[in-house]
């Protein structure tokens, strides 16, 4: 998912945001990335036979969220030269805060999919 987010983020930042603004560009990207996250999460759950119990699914989502946050922080520091504080301060901007909310949603997807799973007949 991080690779897809990175792949979508490049055209969003370089081509879309200069034309429509950062907020609108983010609002365009978020449904795409969340839909992709939903389907990829479902695939991973089935592929690895992840149990539907809430604890396992919440742990799966927390780990995925943690890895995404670590990768994002690493890119901010190593690629863009931001300090950790500058990275954290960026979440004060609405587009970045919306991205964080989407990442939290991404982290909750395994649990959401587990709570909506139908028992086998």
């Amino acid at each position: 998912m991080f690779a897809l987010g990175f792949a979508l983020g490049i055209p969003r930042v370089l081509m879309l945001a200069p034309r429509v603004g950062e907020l609108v560009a983010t609002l365009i990207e978020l449904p795409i990335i969340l839909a992709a996250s939903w389907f990829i999460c479902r695939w991973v759950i089935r592929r690895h036979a992840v149990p539907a119990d809430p604890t396992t699914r919440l742990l799966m989502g927390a780990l995925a969220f943690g890895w995404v946050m670590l990768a994002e922080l690493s890119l901010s520091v190593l690629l863009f030269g931001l300090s950790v504080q500058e990275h954290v301060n960026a979440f004060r901007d609405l587009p970045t805060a919306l991205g964080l909310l989407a990442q939290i949603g991404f982290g909750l997807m395994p649990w959401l999919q587990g709570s909506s799973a139908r028992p086998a007949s």
Side-chain angles (χ1 to χ4, degrees), residues 18-32:
R19 290 183 172 86
V20 299
E22 191 176 345
L23 179 59
V24 172
T26 300
L27 291 172
I28 290 169
E29 180 190 27
L30 287 182
I32 297 166

Side-chain angles (χ1 to χ4, degrees), residues 64-88:
F65 175 76
W67 280 112
V68 166
M69 296 306 292
L70 180 61
E72 185 177 282
L73 174 64
S74 298
L75 276 179
S76 289
V77 171
L78 299 173
L79 189 62
F80 298 110
L82 298 179
S83 69
V84 173
Q85 188 61 46
E86 289 170 322
H87 174 78
V88 171

